[in-house]
Amino acid sequence: MKTPLRLAAVLALSAALPCLADEGMWLFSAPPRARLEKAYGFNPSDAWLQHVMRSSVRFNSGGSGSFVSADGLVITNNHVGLDALQKMSNESTNYVRDGFYAATQAQEVKCLDLELNMLESTEDVTARVNAAVPAGADANTAFLARRNVIAEIEKESHDKTGLRSDVITLYQGGAYHLYRYKRYTDVRLVFSPEQQAAFFGGDPDNFEYPRYDVDICIFRVYENGKPLHPDDYLKWSAEGPRDGELVFVSGNPGRTERLFTGAQTAFLRDTSAPFIQSVLKRRDVLLTSWSARSDENARRAKEDLFGIRNSRKFYDGLLSGLQDPAIIDAKDEAETSLKDKAAPLAGGADTLEAYRRIAAAEGTYARVYARYRLLESGLGFNSELYDIARTLMRAGDERPKANGDRLPEFAEQKKDSLELALFSEKPIYDDLETLDLADSLTDLTERLGYGDETVRTIMAGKSPRERAYELVHGTHVRDVALRHRLYDGGAAAVSAAKDPMIELARSVDQEARALRRTAEDASEVIQESQAVIGRARFAVLGTSTYPDATFTLRLAYGTVKGYEQDGEHIGSITHFDGLYRRSDEHHGREPFDLPQKWQAARGRVNMATPMDFVFTADIVGGNSGSPTINRDGEFVGIVFDGDIQSLTMDIAYSDAQSRAVSTSSNAIIEALRKVYGVGALADELTSGHR
């Protein structure tokens, strides 16, 4: 890693310094107007912000997207749409490998269980949430009080508006905002390229630049059986991205840990990230080997393996940053600086105590972390059927409770989304289920020990492979009609079913819930303590900061700009000629092989067409599919990746070499017209109408 990047990351970590020029994942309710005005002479109007906000959507399968026509077209990444593509494919029809195009409305294929959310409004409910927590309450009492009032706020909002209503924790507990979303569940596939075109270069080029991908997937949203006509959608840019111009990203970054204390960062570095990394590497080896046995195996495992490899590479980069002394030392120095500046202020002693309490809470969490992730988070039971069984079992126990006393995922206002997933007709493959469950049971046994009482209960005297086969082939929860009956029948019906997978979930439920309570108590201590530190940070810095990412809509911005690497200038924009040249350099060998349609179009496409581009906006995972927008509010591209230097962005922003990567609007239209011959779809995008 070059010195300029290290220095930029170090500076970005300093809690006593303002944000770097293009840093920030900003709330739409608190945009960085002054920073934009000062740096770029641009001050977005309320109308501009409202339009961009309501043109943006969240994919609950993970990722972002945007409306791009008055007739309900939504565009996202191919890899964001991969979950839907995989579920509608089968042994004879492979939308992932071969792509898809619906020439008519009747040919558009309805997704099985896809939910899109469009943010309607937000409301600050911090005072009400905090007022519900008794003064001096212990962690468990405070947690339950906060959970109860949040459920109350969400249900009131849902009942009043009919909108999905989620209370989001911001600034590590310093603020609580109510987000209201319009839900769309009738979503139909219109177009997808072959995955090889969307992910050209495969794993070797993943998180690298230059790139040559057309990573898109296009859906149409329906309402009441007819195409939706959204009030807001992004108009298509005829010009596309230009080097040096200001662009924006409107998307849903998943999470960041930039406001973590030193103790929290150490926990991430020493405990949680290595644990997850080891699980991912194990599953990568497992599914790679299984996929190599047949084409059908490879098709069934495609989505899982893509996600695992993507996450594995991300964690490799994250741990590289977490193990960099320059970054960690700078974070420690920044923490010391904030403590010193806060000490003489009112509440200075409370700030120091907050740091101590966080360190103690992280120690408590570290002691149960492995068991918690295996038994409660489900990493020990890697199975769709197990997830369904546990949802049915817990729904029977939770739904009779008062709404505020339930586990949050079973709250009344979450019912629609829960049921959409629970009753999905998605395909479940017994061979893949057995493979995954057997391997995760093996991992669980290795980590907890063969003699562990819970392990013995889970294994029931059998090997992991035997137990997995018995459970997968013995359960009946793959039957959607049965799921309905058990869900409607409640705890009595679930218990009477005597289903082996449900009984497995029941056998660990008491310990899993206890582990969850321990983790939640630690989280509550951390949240309350972070709120104290947040007040100190505001006292030192003022209020011109942004909260960590929470998979909710944020606005980021930056400049289309290349960078220097290993003495070479990397330009900001790639072109079609680079795609064909890169394929030729590798003699068309996988993963640099081109689909047949792209080979045939070689003489038709304009080789000077911009393809992918990089820019300095602040993004992380969850931003995939986010629209890239110019200052006129036009769609100039779609985010699909970051470069390798951006993998530390969860903990530190840098603009030296870290870049977001987008497919250009030009490339999308050129591909649709000249590679795929779907001019009608290109016309709808460029005109905004069918």
Side-chain angles (χ1 to χ4, degrees), residues 108-111 186-190 218-222 225:
E108 295 175 0
V109 181
K110 186 174 181 179
C111 301
D186 188 351
V187 184
R188 308 185 193 184
L189 178 65
V190 176
I218 300 175
F219 299 88
R220 194 181 306 279
V221 175
Y222 282 67

Side-chain angles (χ1 to χ4, degrees), residues 9 12-15 19-20 22-26 172 253 255-262 264-265 268 331 334-335 530 537 546-549 554 556 616-621 623 646-654 658:
L13 280 167
S14 175
C19 302
L20 292 176
D22 294 339
E23 180 181 354
M25 302 167 187
W26 301 89
Q172 308 290 329
R255 64 169 193 181
T256 54
E257 292 89 17
R258 296 178 191 172
L259 298 182
F260 272 19
T261 66
Q264 289 175 283
T265 304
L268 180 65
K331 193 168 186 70
E335 186 169 300
Q530 272 283 10
R537 185 180 290 112
Y546 59 94
D548 270 326
R554 302 291 182 87
T616 59
D618 195 352
I619 66 150
V620 293
N623 273 120
S646 73
L647 292 181
T648 58
M649 296 271 267
D650 276 29
I651 55 172
Y653 172 82
S654 167
S658 298

Side-chain angles (χ1 to χ4, degrees), residues 631-672:
R631 65 175 71 202
D632 293 326
E634 296 174 329
F635 182 100
V636 298
I638 184 168
V639 173
F640 71 89
D641 207 355
D643 64 6
I644 196 73
Q645 293 90 346
S646 73
L647 292 181
T648 58
M649 296 271 267
D650 276 29
I651 55 172
Y653 172 82
S654 167
D655 60 4
Q657 293 175 323
S658 298
R659 294 291 185 272
V661 187
S662 280
T663 297
S664 76
S665 57
N666 318 72
I668 295 168
I669 298 303
E670 186 75 3
L672 292 178

Side-chain angles (χ1 to χ4, degrees), residues 33-303:
R33 296 181 188 276
R35 293 165 56 82
L36 283 167
E37 181 70 44
K38 181 178 180 181
Y40 297 103
F42 179 71
N43 188 341
S45 67
D46 290 343
W48 189 96
L49 292 164
Q50 185 85 339
H51 171 68
V52 170
M53 183 182 86
R54 294 194 173 186
S55 297
S56 305
V57 297
R58 180 177 67 179
F59 278 67
N60 270 15
S61 55
S64 304
S66 57
F67 285 111
V68 284
S69 92
D71 294 300
L73 281 189
V74 166
I75 191 167
T76 188
N77 290 151
N78 182 268
H79 70 267
V80 173
L82 185 59
D83 179 69
L85 295 171
Q86 187 89 344
K87 288 172 182 175
M88 62 178 65
S89 298
N90 53 47
E91 193 168 355
S92 60
T93 303
N94 192 332
Y95 294 137
V96 177
R97 180 192 63 205
D98 302 330
F100 174 82
Y101 173 59
T104 67
Q105 182 178 320
Q107 293 174 330
E108 295 175 0
V109 181
K110 186 174 181 179
C111 301
L112 290 176
D113 54 11
L114 183 59
E115 177 181 324
L116 304 188
N117 297 153
M118 187 272 286
L119 183 62
E120 285 271 11
S121 65
T122 64
E123 179 184 345
D124 190 339
V125 294
T126 308
R128 182 173 173 185
V129 172
N130 287 340
V133 179
D138 60 32
N140 186 59
T141 301
F143 171 79
L144 294 175
R146 188 171 279 110
R147 184 172 78 178
N148 190 291
V149 73
I150 286 173
E152 184 179 277
I153 293 168
E154 290 176 341
K155 188 173 188 305
E156 283 178 7
S157 174
H158 179 269
D159 291 348
K160 180 179 179 180
T161 66
L163 300 173
R164 173 172 178 155
S165 300
D166 300 334
V167 172
I168 305 300
T169 303
L170 301 172
Y171 296 105
Q172 308 290 329
Y176 298 87
H177 287 190
L178 172 63
Y179 281 61
R180 297 187 182 94
Y181 297 95
K182 173 70 175 176
R183 296 174 64 246
Y184 298 106
T185 56
D186 188 351
V187 184
R188 308 185 193 184
L189 178 65
V190 176
F191 174 83
S192 175
E194 311 90 339
Q195 191 188 46
Q196 185 53 23
F199 195 48
F200 176 81
D203 195 53
D205 274 7
N206 193 19
F207 294 117
E208 301 290 348
Y209 198 75
R211 293 290 291 276
Y212 305 95
D213 296 2
V214 180
D215 194 348
I216 62 168
C217 197
I218 300 175
F219 299 88
R220 194 181 306 279
V221 175
Y222 282 67
E223 194 169 46
N224 300 320
K226 297 180 180 180
L228 178 74
H229 300 293
D231 293 332
D232 293 278
Y233 68 91
L234 299 177
K235 292 183 178 179
W236 207 264
S237 168
E239 187 173 359
R242 293 179 290 106
D243 186 65
E245 80 169 316
L246 170 67
V247 291
F248 296 85
V249 173
S250 175
N252 299 272
R255 64 169 193 181
T256 54
E257 292 89 17
R258 296 178 191 172
L259 298 182
F260 272 19
T261 66
Q264 289 175 283
T265 304
F267 174 82
L268 180 65
R269 180 193 63 217
D270 301 335
T271 303
S272 63
F275 182 94
I276 299 301
Q277 184 192 47
S278 68
V279 171
L280 291 169
K281 289 186 174 180
R282 180 187 187 105
R283 293 184 180 175
D284 188 353
V285 172
L286 176 79
L287 290 183
T288 298
S289 176
W290 191 73
S291 296
R293 296 179 61 186
S294 73
D295 289 344
E296 178 58 13
N297 281 8
R299 185 193 71 78
R300 294 181 180 186
K302 187 79 170 181
E303 181 198 357

Side-chain angles (χ1 to χ4, degrees), residues 339-376:
K339 289 176 181 176
D340 291 343
K341 288 181 169 62
L345 303 176
D350 293 338
T351 302
L352 299 180
E353 175 63 13
Y355 279 105
R356 189 201 64 76
R357 294 184 73 213
I358 288 174
E362 290 289 17
T364 299
Y365 187 28
R367 288 191 287 274
V368 302
Y369 181 79
R371 295 189 80 89
Y372 169 77
R373 292 310 304 264
L374 292 166
L375 301 179
E376 171 58 21

